[in-house]
Each structure stands twice: as structure tokens, then as C-alpha cells.
Amino acid sequence: MGKDVIIACDFAGREEALGFLDQFTGEKPFVKIGMELFYAEGPDIVRAIKARGHQIFLDLKLHDIPNTVKSAMAVLSRLDVDMVNLHAAGTAAMMEAALEGLTRPDGTRPLLIAVTQLTSTSEERMRGELLIDRPLDEVVMAYAQNARRAGLDGVVCSPLEAAKVHQVCGADFLTVTPGVRFADGDVGDQVRVTTPARAKEIGSDYIVVGRPITRAADPVAAYRRCVSEFVG
Ligand code: C5P
């Protein structure tokens, strides 16, 4: 379990996504399907990518009343995905309902990961608009602990926060970390970034890498570079 590179397949449609994955003839990367691709193509794109043998992180960040999230999670679980997520802000009741919905009749279920505070939310906006009057990293750690108590498997966080999450929630609580860039690559719109090698040192369990792989001149070589830096 863990220590893997997840490619963020942020493509607008099926053709681009499958065309991109066609380049991987020697390996089957773990892929993340987000809102854009899922809303464009629906569950069929999940089935198509799964049928090619990839593990899938379905990044839909659910947040609704417990009963609705439970039913939605049951549908996602039947798609045979490997990892799904929700917003910890939905409270423990919602997270527990999500786990129930996800659990298949045979007792298996996808990993369930919580978003704490989105990395696009600044402390200033959190205080001013969400009226949460605490330091951001205290809020992130408290939400992570709440997710752990509700029985979730881990959180999405910055690789720079992974060590602290492990300290607070335990070494086996998974950290799934976007914001990864090669030392010699473009940062783009990400702010708090680190390299795959450094993410490994800090203790990330999974790194989520999009543009450094999807927009590379040679995506397969870029993926292999990530794997060799992060997994070794
Ligand atoms: O292209 P890039 O490597 O920046 O892609 C990172 C992926 O991780 C994107 O799909 C982005 O939506 C996602 N993500 C993120 N930061 C978060 C949560 C998800 O960058 N806090």
C-alpha cells in the first residue's frame, strides 16, 4: 500500500485522455480523474480506463448531507475505483456515512481521503469569509484528526505538510500530495511545491503529478523520472 505516483489526467475529453494513456505501453500508472473529465464523459470514462488495467483515484470532492453522500459513494464504489475523496468540512457524520456507502457487500471498499482546506484558500480568506478564526495549519491538522476518527484513510495535503499530518494522525494515515515539480521544471500556478525526491523524504504516501507529466515532451520519460525519484 502506498508510495506511488498518481498522474492527474486533467483532460477535457475521452479522446485526449485515452490518447495520453496509449503512450504507456510498458506500465499502468495510477491515474486521477477529476471533475472536468468526469463531468464531460461520465462514468464510462472511468470504466474505460479501469478496463485498461489502471488504478483510479476519482477526485470529485463530495460535500452534501450524509444520506446523499452515502448513496453517491455507493454508486462510485460500484465503478470499482481505488480511491475517492470528500470535504472534511462535511463533518464526521458525513464522513461516516460516506464510508458506509463505499463499503461493498464483500467488505472491500476504495480508499477514502479527505480534503481539509483547499490549498487555494488563504488564511486571510478562511478567517474573513469562512469565519474560522484559527491558524490555517491548526485547522488542517484538526480536520485531518477528525477524518481519522471518522475512519478515513488519509488526507490530501501539501507535501510540505505530510510529516506533520503523520505526526498528528499516525504513520499509517495516508498523505496524498499534489504540488510536485521537478527541480528544473515550471512551477505554473502551484505555490507551495516540492520535488518528488523531497516529497519522499518528507514522507508523502502518494504524489499527484499533472502538468510535469501530461505536458512533457516525453510523458512516459517524465513519469519514469517521477517514479525513480519518489519510489526509488
Ligand atoms: O498539473 P499539476 O501537477 O499542478 O496538477 C495537480 C493536480 O492536483 C490537479 O488535478 C489539481 O486539481 C489537484 N489538486 C491540487 N491541489 C489541491 C488538490 C488537488 O493541485 N489542494
Side-chain angles (χ1 to χ4, degrees), residues 129-169:
E129 296 177 35
L130 307 183
L131 306 184
I132 301 172
D133 205 14
R134 295 281 190 90
L136 184 59
D137 96 305
E138 206 179 285
V139 175
V140 167
M141 295 308 151
Y143 282 27
Q145 282 176 295
N146 208 30
R148 177 170 186 102
R149 279 193 294 267
L152 271 69
D153 302 294
V155 287
V156 180
C157 64
S158 154
L160 304 169
E161 292 160 358
K164 189 151 184 202
V165 169
H166 282 141
Q167 251 173 42
V168 170
C169 296

Side-chain angles (χ1 to χ4, degrees), residues 7-10 32 34 57 59 61 85 115 117-120 156-158 176-181 187-190 208-215:
I7 304 180
C9 277
D10 293 322
K32 179 172 90 70
F57 170 19
D59 176 19
K61 301 186 179 71
N85 61 357
V115 175
Q117 285 292 336
L118 290 169
T119 46
S120 52
V156 180
C157 64
S158 154
V176 179
T177 66
V180 174
R181 292 294 180 264
V187 171
D189 59 351
Q190 294 281 14
V208 177
V209 187
R211 289 160 291 179
I213 295 174
T214 57
R215 301 209 185 153

